[in-house]
Amino acid sequence: METTTMVPATALTVEAENADPKSQGRLALSARRKKPFRWALWSTLTVIGLFAFLPIYWLAVTSVTPNDQVFAYPPSLVPTEVTFEHYVSVFANPAIFGYLKNSIIVSVVTAVLSVVVSMYMGYAFSKFRFRGRKSLMYFVLSSQMFPQALLLVTLYVVFAQFGLLNTYQALIISFTTFTLPLCVWMLKGFFDALPDDLIEAAKIDGAGPWRTFHSVILPLALPGLVAAGLFAFVRGWNDFMFALTLAGPEKQTLPPGLVNTFIFEASAAWPALMAASLLVSAPVCIAFIFLQRFLVGGITAGAVKG
Amino acid sequence: MTVNLNRRDLLRFGAVGFGSLALLGGTAGCATSPVGTATLDPNAAAADFAFASWGMSEDATKPVLLAAANSFAKSEGVAVTTPSYPFNDYLSQMMLQIRGGQFSGAAQLDVAWLSSLAALGKLVDLSSYAEGREYTPAALAAGKNEGKQLGLPWTIAAIGLVTNAELLDKAGASSDPKTIEEFEDNLRALKGIGVIPYAAATKAAGLKDILVWMQTFGSPIVEGGKSALAGDEAIEAVTWYKKLYDEGLISADIDRSAARSLFAQGNAAIYDDAPVGKAGVVSQSPDGGLSDKMMPIARPVLKSGDVPQEVLWGHLVAVVDGAGSQTAAKFAQWLTSDKAQTVDYFTQLGLPPTTAPALSETAGSNDPFLASFTEKITVDAAASPLWPYVSYAQMETAIAEQVQAVLIGQSSPADAMKKASAAVDALI
C-alpha cells in the first residue's frame, strides 16, 4: 500500500520561495508595498474603534465623575477625581431593577416568540413551493416599510380596545410584529443554504416532514436561530417609544424607565444615568460575548449561497 | 409540497389586511371628541382619580407631590394614582392618553401646552373653582383658553436673563443694563475677560428664545390672526442677533442645557432661564458660591422707557373629564390655592405660588434670587403670542430654522423672516 505524506501547501510555497533569491526579492518588495496598506488598514481600524468605543469609555468615565465636574471645561479623558456614589444611588433605587426585570421579560419572550414563528415561516418559504409564495414573502417584508412611529397611535387604540394597554402582552405583540419580517427573511436565507439532500436523506430513512424539520434541520440551523433571537431581543431591549406609550408605569422597561428616573424638567443626573446604563447593560453584553459567533455566522449564512 | 393558496386568495387577504389597517387608522383619527369643554356635576360624590405629572418622576419634586397627593387622599377618603412621564415626552403621552380615553383626572401642565390639550375638548372649565381663591390676575390669565379657565395656576414665573455677578464685576460691566445698547457694551466687556458673554440659544431646539427679543424690538409676532414676522421689527431683531453672533458675543451650538452647563462652569456670564433651572445649575457647578452670584436682570429694552419683554413660565393643573374628575377638580383647587399647601410647596422647592395670600406670606423669604427674579422679570411676563395656537411648537421650530439659517450665513434676515412668516401663517 502506497502511503503519502501531506505537506501543507503554504509550507511548500514558502520553502520554494526561500530557495529562490528572485522570489526572496519579490517577497521583500511585496512586504514593502504592503506596509502602507497595513498602515492605512490599522489607521482606519483605529478610527472605527475609537468611533465605536470612545462613547462607551466616556460613559464609564462619566459614571464615576462627581456631579460638579461632569461638564468641566476643558474635558478630561481621565477623571481627576473618582466617585462611586452614582453606583450606590443606582443600587439604592429599586425601581431600576423593576425596569430591568420588565426589560428581560419583554425581550426574552419577544425573542423566543419571534424565533418560533419565523423558523416555521422561514422554512416554509425556503423549502416548500406553493402558489403565491413569493408574493407572500414580499408581503411579509412590506410591513417593514411603514415607519413604526406611525403605527404607534393605531396600536395604542387597538390595544386600548382589547384591554391590553399597560401589559407585557402589548409590548411583546408589538415587538414581535416588528421583528418577524427580518427574522423570517434571515432564517429563510439560512435554510436556503442547507442542502435539500438532507431532507431527501431523512425522507429515505423514514422521517416525516415534522420529524425532518425538528430532528435534522433545526439543529443545523442553530446559529441562524440564535442570530434571529438576538436581533429580536435587541429590538425589544432598546425600544423607547413603544415601551413608554404602551407599557404604563408598572411594566415600563429600561429605556423609558431610565429617562423617567434621571432626566428632569430642568436638569439631568447624567453620572447616575451612565452608572445605571452600564450596570444594566453588563448582563446583556456578557451574553452577547458568548453568543456573538452565532450572530455573525447566522447573519452571513444565507449571504454566500450559490 | 403545495399549499392551496392562489394569487386571488392572496389579494383577498391583502385587501382585508389593508382594509383593517385603514379602519384602525380611521378609528384612531376619529377617537377625538369634538372640540369643546366638559362641565362637572357639583353633586358628584368624592371618587378616586389620577393625578398625572412629570414631577412625580423627579427626585426633587416627587416626595413633595406624593405627600400632597396622600394628604388630600386621606382627607377626602379617596385613592389617588400618580402616573408619570418624562417632561420631554409628557405632552405627547398625555395627548395620546386623553385622546384614547385612557386618562381622566388632574394633570400637571406647562403653561405653553394648554391650547394643545384644550383642542381635544376633554378639559373641564374650572372657572367656578377659581372663584374666591385670590389667584393673581396674571396667574389666572395663564390658565385661560378662549375665555375659559381650563387650568388653575400652580406656579408662575418667567424665563429671564440670569447673570453671574462676579463675572460682570470682573469685566467692569453694569449689573443692571437698561437698554440694548448698554447690554451690548456689557457683552463686549465680558468678552474681554475670556468668557462667553451671553449663552443665548443658537441651536434650533432653543431658538424660540429669540421671540422675546423680537418683541423687544417691537414685533407683535402675531397681529390680527396673521404672522408679523416679516415686519421690520422682527427683521431688525434677527439682524441684531446675527451681529452678536458675528462678534462672538453669543456662541454657536447653544441650547438651554448647554447654556446651563457653561454658566455652571463659569464659562458664560449671562443666560436665559426660569427659576426652576437654578438648582440644576448650582448642583453641577464646581463653584460652591455660585448660588449667591446668580443675579436676574430685567431684559434690556430698545429705548429707555419701554417695558421689558419677558416670556411667561409656569405650571398649571388642568382636569380631564371622566371618572373622578369632580374630586380631581377639588384637588387641583386645593393644590394650587390652599395657603398652607402652596407655602409649603414654595418652601420646599422654591417655586413661586400664584395666590395673593401665599405670595405675601413668601415675600419675606430669604431667597434673594427668587425675590429679585419676581420683582425684575416675572412682573412683566406675558404668554408667548404663539401659545394660543395648537401648532405653536411647529411654529417655533419653523422660526428657529430660519433664524439658524441667518446665523450660519445661508439666508438674509429679510428672506428668512419672510419664509418663517409664511410657515407660521400656514400653521395658523
Side-chain angles (χ1 to χ4, degrees):
Chain A
M1 194 177 191
E2 197 179 341
T3 56
T4 53
T5 309
M6 298 295 287
V7 179
T10 47
L12 285 173
T13 315
V14 170
E15 201 175 299
E17 284 181 348
N18 283 346
D20 181 1
K22 278 187 182 174
S23 299
Q24 281 181 338
R26 274 203 300 274
L27 269 178
L29 187 67
S30 166
R32 274 202 302 276
R33 278 181 185 160
K34 278 181 183 169
K35 211 173 178 183
F37 172 75
R38 229 172 249 162
W39 269 104
L41 181 72
W42 280 108
S43 307
T44 310
L45 286 176
T46 306
V47 170
I48 293 171
L50 283 175
F51 189 75
F53 292 109
L54 200 60
I56 297 169
Y57 173 75
W58 194 246
L59 187 142
V61 167
T62 307
S63 74
V64 293
T65 304
N67 272 325
D68 60 5
Q69 291 177 25
V70 171
F71 291 101
Y73 189 84
S76 167
L77 275 175
V78 181
T80 49
E81 197 180 321
V82 170
T83 176
F84 291 100
E85 62 179 344
H86 310 304
Y87 285 90
V88 174
S89 73
V90 171
F91 280 113
N93 189 341
I96 291 169
F97 295 96
Y99 302 141
L100 178 63
K101 183 193 84 181
N102 293 339
S103 271
I104 290 172
I105 291 171
V106 167
S107 305
V108 168
V109 177
T110 299
V112 170
L113 206 60
S114 299
V115 168
V116 169
V117 177
S118 58
M119 72 186 188
Y120 290 112
M121 286 178 73
Y123 185 63
F125 284 143
S126 171
K127 300 297 182 190
F128 297 140
R129 296 292 174 267
F130 50 91
R131 287 197 194 111
R133 184 181 71 101
K134 279 196 173 171
S135 308
L136 201 57
M137 278 164 51
Y138 287 110
F139 187 68
V140 167
L141 195 64
S142 69
S143 64
Q144 289 287 84
M145 311 302 171
F146 293 99
Q148 291 176 2
L150 205 77
L151 299 175
L152 181 61
V153 177
T154 309
L155 280 175
Y156 185 88
V157 175
V158 173
F159 286 138
Q161 294 293 326
F162 283 94
L164 286 174
L165 282 180
N166 307 337
T167 64
Y168 288 132
Q169 290 95 309
L171 290 185
I172 291 165
I173 293 169
S174 310
F175 295 157
T176 307
T177 311
F178 298 141
T179 54
L180 266 182
L182 204 63
C183 288
V184 168
W185 274 80
M186 193 192 288
L187 286 177
K188 180 198 169 291
F190 203 89
F191 291 127
D192 284 347
L194 296 178
D196 290 346
D197 296 351
L198 283 172
I199 301 170
E200 292 301 323
K203 200 186 271 180
I204 291 165
D205 286 345
W210 198 250
R211 178 91 189 267
T212 303
F213 179 63
H214 289 102
S215 304
V216 178
I217 302 295
L218 269 192
L220 293 171
L222 190 64
L225 299 181
V226 174
L230 285 177
F231 165 74
F233 183 91
V234 170
R235 175 66 183 78
W237 189 265
N238 285 337
D239 179 87
F240 175 80
M241 193 45 79
F242 280 78
L244 177 70
T245 309
L246 303 176
E250 299 298 320
K251 302 289 187 290
Q252 216 157 70
T253 57
L254 277 168
L258 292 182
V259 169
N260 214 3
T261 308
F262 297 114
I263 309 283
F264 312 131
E265 179 189 2
S267 61
W270 294 114
L273 176 60
M274 301 301 147
S277 303
L278 267 187
L279 281 176
V280 298
S281 304
V284 185
C285 289
I286 293 166
F288 264 70
I289 288 167
F290 285 108
L291 296 173
Q292 54 88 20
R293 61 197 174 97
F294 290 113
L295 185 67
V296 177
I299 288 172
T300 56
V304 287
K305 198 181 71 146
Chain B
M1 182 189 271
T2 307
V3 173
N4 290 327
L5 190 71
N6 59 34
R7 278 179 203 279
R8 190 173 293 169
D9 289 332
L10 191 69
L11 283 171
R12 207 171 286 156
F13 285 128
V16 171
F18 280 116
S20 310
L21 204 67
L23 192 68
L24 291 172
T27 313
C30 295
T32 321
S33 299
V35 175
T37 311
T39 48
L40 292 176
D41 173 11
N43 300 318
D48 298 349
F49 66 95
F51 171 45
S53 69
W54 62 86
M56 202 60 86
S57 60
E58 303 195 358
D59 284 346
T61 48
K62 186 177 178 178
V64 185
L65 289 185
L66 204 55
N70 288 340
S71 167
F72 182 82
K74 198 175 169 188
S75 69
E76 293 290 316
V78 296
V80 183
T81 51
T82 53
S84 170
Y85 302 99
F87 179 78
N88 287 334
D89 298 292
Y90 185 84
L91 179 61
S92 59
Q93 291 299 315
M94 287 308 293
M95 295 276 279
L96 206 53
Q97 295 260 341
I98 295 169
R99 200 168 185 166
Q102 298 297 307
F103 178 84
S104 64
Q108 179 181 19
L109 294 185
D110 187 285
V111 283
W113 300 340
L114 190 63
S115 60
S116 301
L117 281 177
L120 299 178
K122 298 275 185 80
L123 295 189
V124 167
D125 186 351
L126 298 168
S127 302
S128 59
Y129 289 84
E131 280 169 18
R133 305 299 293 189
E134 298 186 72
Y135 293 107
T136 62
L140 267 186
K144 276 194 174 155
N145 180 270
E146 295 182 0
K148 288 173 181 162
Q149 195 69 48
L150 298 185
L152 293 180
W154 192 3
T155 180
I156 293 292
I159 293 176
L161 291 169
V162 179
T163 67
N164 182 324
E166 187 183 57
L167 291 177
L168 289 182
D169 192 41
K170 192 175 166 189
S174 159
S175 61
D176 194 16
K178 297 289 184 204
T179 63
I180 282 179
E181 210 176 331
E182 289 171 34
F183 184 63
E184 272 185 53
D185 290 342
N186 262 10
L187 299 185
R188 289 193 186 94
L190 285 162
K191 191 184 174 190
I193 60 166
V195 296
I196 296 172
Y198 173 29
T202 46
K203 259 187 180 176
L207 258 171
K208 62 182 177 183
D209 284 359
I210 198 176
L211 289 172
V212 75
W213 284 116
M214 289 179 183
Q215 291 175 292
T216 299
F217 276 81
S219 172
I221 310 292
V222 176
E223 197 168 31
K226 284 192 168 183
S227 162
L229 291 166
D232 291 344
E233 299 88 352
I235 294 171
E236 204 182 330
V238 177
T239 308
W240 175 73
Y241 217 65
K242 167 75 169 157
K243 184 177 84 172
L244 297 187
Y245 185 77
D246 289 343
E247 284 188 32
L249 303 178
I250 62 176
S251 195
D253 286 330
I254 306 280
D255 58 10
R256 184 91 66 234
S257 172
R260 284 176 180 145
S261 300
L262 288 164
F263 190 88
Q265 297 299 319
N267 293 321
I270 304 172
Y271 83 116
D272 291 280
D273 208 351
V276 74
K278 188 188 172 193
V281 168
V282 171
S283 75
Q284 61 178 275
S285 176
D287 179 357
L290 183 67
S291 179
D292 297 334
K293 297 169 191 166
M294 290 174 76
M295 291 306 293
I297 57 168
R299 196 170 298 274
V301 294
L302 189 61
K303 42 185 196 301
S304 194
D306 287 355
V307 177
Q309 300 293 315
E310 311 286 1
V311 67
L312 204 66
W313 169 93
H315 301 161
L316 308 169
V317 181
V319 173
V320 180
D321 191 32
S325 54
Q326 195 267 346
T327 318
K330 203 173 164 190
F331 170 73
Q333 183 194 53
W334 172 81
L335 188 71
T336 57
S337 64
D338 178 82
K339 192 176 167 188
Q341 169 58 31
T342 49
V343 170
D344 179 59
Y345 193 68
F346 166 83
T347 309
Q348 298 209 49
L349 300 173
L351 296 174
T354 53
T355 62
L359 280 167
S360 64
E361 179 88 10
T362 55
S365 78
N366 54 0
D367 186 342
F369 175 81
L370 196 60
S372 178
F373 201 102
T374 306
E375 183 194 331
K376 292 178 177 172
I377 298 173
T378 307
V379 68
D380 294 314
S384 163
L386 298 181
W387 289 351
Y389 300 99
V390 177
S391 303
Y392 85 91
Q394 289 100 306
M395 295 177 187
E396 288 177 350
T397 305
I399 297 166
E401 283 170 358
Q402 291 306 322
V403 175
Q404 205 173 38
V406 173
L407 293 181
I408 59 176
Q410 282 185 350
S411 185
S412 70
D415 287 347
M417 285 302 96
K418 200 174 165 187
K419 282 182 191 166
S421 185
V424 169
D425 274 335
L427 288 163
I428 286 175

